[in-house]
Amino acid sequence: PLKQSYTIRNKIKTDRGLGIYYYYLGNTERDSDNFEDAEKYYFLSEEILEKEEDWFKLCEVYCDHSWMEFLRSEDDYEEVYKYLEKSKELMFKYGFGAEYSEYYHILYEVNFYIGNKQKAFFFLDKALEEAFKYSNIYMILDCLNHDVHRRYEHYDVKKIKKIIKKMEGYENKGCGIKVFRGRAMLIEGDIFFDE
């Protein structure tokens, strides 16, 4: 679809949406662990979106750029925080509420990874709060899955079952994102295996 989009754009000779195109291309390369190309496309996207003053998409790009820096970092989070801060400036300036949960989610991931669990779970709760507040369904499910990981440490099977039921409720209402419930069920299985 990205290639088709680019072909159509060339046929009708427009640059409209080019910043968004490079953003999605950057995400695709990032998710393929091709960080060098991802960075190149993020930079192109950021440059175009800034010129167009598309602050919402630019906010998203900075957040995803931050996530890429986390994925490729080797215990140096300077770049992660740099792009996260750029994203935060835009989200709070313009009130992009749906992005708040993304911001707190990345802070959760970094802190959990470095072993600062108390701080990580504080940010996880903030991410969940904002995700529910602004109906960011992807972040709701992602963070609920992280909440299951938290409950695993205390073998809180009842809470895990409630979380999984809540996730299933979203699926029953038509949400097609099922990967997080599947992961949560694996953790539930781990508890029974440990027992």
Side-chain angles (χ1 to χ4, degrees), residues 45-58:
S45 176
E46 290 162 13
E47 185 181 321
I48 293 166
L49 293 171
E50 195 168 334
K51 276 184 203 164
E52 293 176 350
E53 297 183 355
D54 187 341
W55 306 124
F56 180 70
K57 271 299 173 206
L58 186 59

Side-chain angles (χ1 to χ4, degrees), residues 131-148:
F132 281 121
K133 185 175 177 182
Y134 292 99
S135 300
N136 186 338
I137 190 65
Y138 185 87
M139 287 307 323
I140 289 171
L141 294 171
D142 193 353
C143 291
L144 285 174
N145 179 55
H146 292 308
D147 198 18
V148 166

Side-chain angles (χ1 to χ4, degrees), residues 100-118:
Y100 294 171
S101 54
E102 306 267 354
Y103 168 77
Y104 290 119
H105 174 258
I106 292 174
L107 289 174
Y108 158 77
E109 290 280 7
V110 171
N111 280 281
F112 189 83
Y113 184 76
I114 63 175
N116 190 346
K117 289 186 180 179
Q118 186 175 357

Side-chain angles (χ1 to χ4, degrees), residues 95-191:
F96 299 142
E99 288 301 297
Y100 294 171
S101 54
E102 306 267 354
Y103 168 77
Y104 290 119
H105 174 258
I106 292 174
L107 289 174
Y108 158 77
E109 290 280 7
V110 171
N111 280 281
F112 189 83
Y113 184 76
I114 63 175
N116 190 346
K117 289 186 180 179
Q118 186 175 357
K119 200 169 186 181
F121 292 139
F122 168 80
F123 287 126
L124 177 60
D125 289 336
K126 291 288 288 175
L128 266 169
E129 179 187 326
E130 296 297 338
F132 281 121
K133 185 175 177 182
Y134 292 99
S135 300
N136 186 338
I137 190 65
Y138 185 87
M139 287 307 323
I140 289 171
L141 294 171
D142 193 353
C143 291
L144 285 174
N145 179 55
H146 292 308
D147 198 18
V148 166
H149 284 265
R150 170 174 35 186
R151 307 305 170 175
Y152 172 72
E153 292 187 14
H154 304 289
Y155 291 108
D156 192 347
V157 177
K158 285 183 182 177
K159 185 67 175 172
I160 288 173
K161 285 185 179 299
K162 283 182 183 177
I163 293 170
I164 291 171
K165 191 135 185 83
K166 184 181 271 191
M167 295 167 109
E168 191 174 24
Y170 286 108
E171 288 176 33
N172 292 338
K173 291 177 185 171
C175 177
I177 306 167
K178 298 179 181 180
V179 65
F180 295 117
R181 183 171 66 95
R183 290 177 187 171
M185 291 168 71
L186 287 172
I187 298 299
E188 181 184 22
D190 286 344
I191 289 176

